Amino acid sequence: MWADLATIGRDADSGGYRRYAWTGADADCRTWFQEQAEARGLTCETDRNGNQWAWLGDPPPASGGGSPTAGDAVVTGSHLDSVPDGGAFDGPLGVVSSFAALDELRRRGATFTKPFAITNFGDEEGARFGLACVGSRLTAGRLTKAQAYELRDGDGVSLPQAMEAAGFDPGIIGPDPERLARIGAFVELHVEQGRALDLSGDPVGIASAIWPHGRWRFDFRGEANHAGTTRLADRRDPMLTYAETVLAARREAELAGAVATFGKVSVEPNGVNAIPSLVRGWLDSRAPEQSALDVVTAAIEAAAREHAERNGIDLTVVRESFTPVVEFEHALRDELGKILGGRAPLLGTGAGHDAGILSESIPTAMLFVRNPTGVSHSPAEYAAEDDCLAGVIALADVLEGLACS
Ligand code: HGY
Ligand code: MN
Ligand code: MN
């Protein structure tokens, strides 16, 4: 299963993955998901927002099982899209482990007493359109159709245009409360994006919370000019203000106990011998509490405005994505702890997930699998096979405890 998926969307040079929403690689991942589902006799459907759901179907009445309207379905899954040159595990480990956990439950002869499904949520990384968790946000009603229609990729292609080109009808996107009302619990397994489990020596952990985090676009507008003939005193160079802002971001993050990253930048006209007219920088900032995140982002923007003022640069700042703090529901979190017999420590994370977005609508929980280096959003992302198998067994134990007799 893992090997079949591993070749999809992988860049030969970097070894990283480029599985962006509504592209060919995304379509190939969706085909892979459908094949895995159908090979297990699951009914695969794609919801109005492009998320894939593979249903085991309703348990036979004899088992006293619920029905899809009972609101007690147990769902597990994750996402298959990636950041640019992302690693093999972020997302796919959760989806592959879901299918493997079902195989394990069948090997155990477990009997489902609740409806069960495996999901692939679309566009979790927001690598193409800049907003994280588009598929789950739409379904949870945390992104409106109008807002989704405003999303553009770097080539100016809108989200609806991209969906249409991929054969999906963007006209039907929107909240899906009926679907969420069928679900009693959603559990997402994910590779840890940090080293807490490596430090504690545990193969599997349970999520306690997700830090509040967001993405802000800084547009620094200056004056294009000749790199060789323009006196320094006559320049309005936005690259200078951008650079000063990047340094300010690191300083303010250290002061606030937060993290701040300018990982993406675009320059116009992007010529070696031309002073830029426009530099766009995207800030990703996160903090353990909302108050710290507010402090650090306000301080970074204030520093940027001060430098812009001094350098004669026009600055606009737009918040493109934001996710408030997530405290996973204690009852489900503790149920997982009980099922795993205290073998899995609780840990927080600075990484966003679909389980975080859905947590406002339904009870959700997460399992983390040890990542020995903590590296993620990189081709170097890695998890040992033994730990991945421990994750599958833990997920099977959890699903058996939640959905089987
Ligand atoms: O950026 C994140 O936190 C997640 O990987 N989408
Ligand atoms: Mn990610
Ligand atoms: Mn992820």
Side-chain angles (χ1 to χ4, degrees), residues 241-396:
T241 312
Y242 167 68
E244 288 166 328
T245 302
V246 173
L247 294 172
R250 168 57 66 94
R251 202 172 45 249
E252 296 303 337
E254 283 166 357
L255 290 173
V259 290
T261 313
F262 275 96
K264 177 179 175 179
V265 60
S266 79
V267 182
E268 292 177 13
N270 209 28
V272 174
N273 56 351
I275 300 169
S277 54
L278 168 66
V279 174
R280 282 210 163 104
W282 279 265
L283 168 69
D284 177 310
S285 191
R286 317 188 186 202
E289 296 89 28
Q290 188 60 47
S291 55
L293 183 60
D294 293 341
V295 164
V296 69
T297 50
I300 294 169
E301 182 169 345
R305 295 204 178 285
E306 190 189 317
H307 291 297
E309 180 77 23
R310 186 180 316 117
N311 301 338
I313 299 299
D314 296 324
L315 169 64
T316 56
V317 181
V318 177
R319 188 178 80 173
E320 292 194 337
S321 179
F322 175 69
T323 309
V325 65
V326 168
E327 181 80 24
F328 286 104
E329 196 215 56
H330 290 185
L332 183 58
R333 182 199 68 189
D334 296 346
E335 175 77 11
L336 265 63
K338 208 164 73 220
I339 291 170
L340 297 179
R343 299 192 310 268
L346 280 180
L347 56 139
T349 179
H353 300 282
D354 293 308
I357 296 299
L358 296 173
S359 67
E360 280 193 4
S361 314
I362 55 176
T364 67
M366 291 191 74
L367 291 176
F368 289 125
V369 170
R370 174 165 47 193
N371 172 339
T373 64
V375 169
S376 183
H377 286 188
S378 156
E381 184 182 69
Y382 172 74
E385 182 166 325
D386 286 354
D387 288 342
C388 294
L389 294 175
V392 170
I393 298 301
L395 182 59

Side-chain angles (χ1 to χ4, degrees), residues 74 113-114 185 187 332 335-336 339 397-404:
V74 173
T113 56
K114 293 177 183 167
V187 180
L332 183 58
E335 175 77 11
L336 265 63
I339 291 170
D397 292 348
V398 162
L399 296 175
E400 188 169 18
L402 294 175
C404 302

Side-chain angles (χ1 to χ4, degrees), residues 15 20 27 34 69 168 188 226 240 261 271 281 286 290 385 397 399:
Y20 311 141
Q34 173 128 4
T69 54
F168 285 81
E188 178 172 4
H226 194 299
L240 214 61
T261 313
R286 317 188 186 202
Q290 188 60 47
E385 182 166 325
D397 292 348
L399 296 175

Side-chain angles (χ1 to χ4, degrees), residues 82-119:
S82 73
V83 296
D85 284 352
F89 297 81
D90 175 354
L93 183 64
V95 179
V96 170
S97 300
S98 297
F99 285 119
L102 174 60
D103 296 346
E104 167 66 9
L105 287 174
R106 284 172 161 165
R107 195 190 58 75
R108 294 178 186 178
T111 307
F112 281 87
T113 56
K114 293 177 183 167
F116 171 73
I118 294 172
T119 56

Side-chain angles (χ1 to χ4, degrees), residues 44-79:
C44 192
E45 53 154 351
T46 301
D47 69 18
R48 64 170 56 130
N49 299 310
N51 305 306
Q52 288 180 291
W53 301 70
W55 288 96
L56 182 60
D58 308 333
S63 70
S67 73
T69 54
D72 63 352
V74 173
V75 178
T76 185
S78 190
H79 63 94

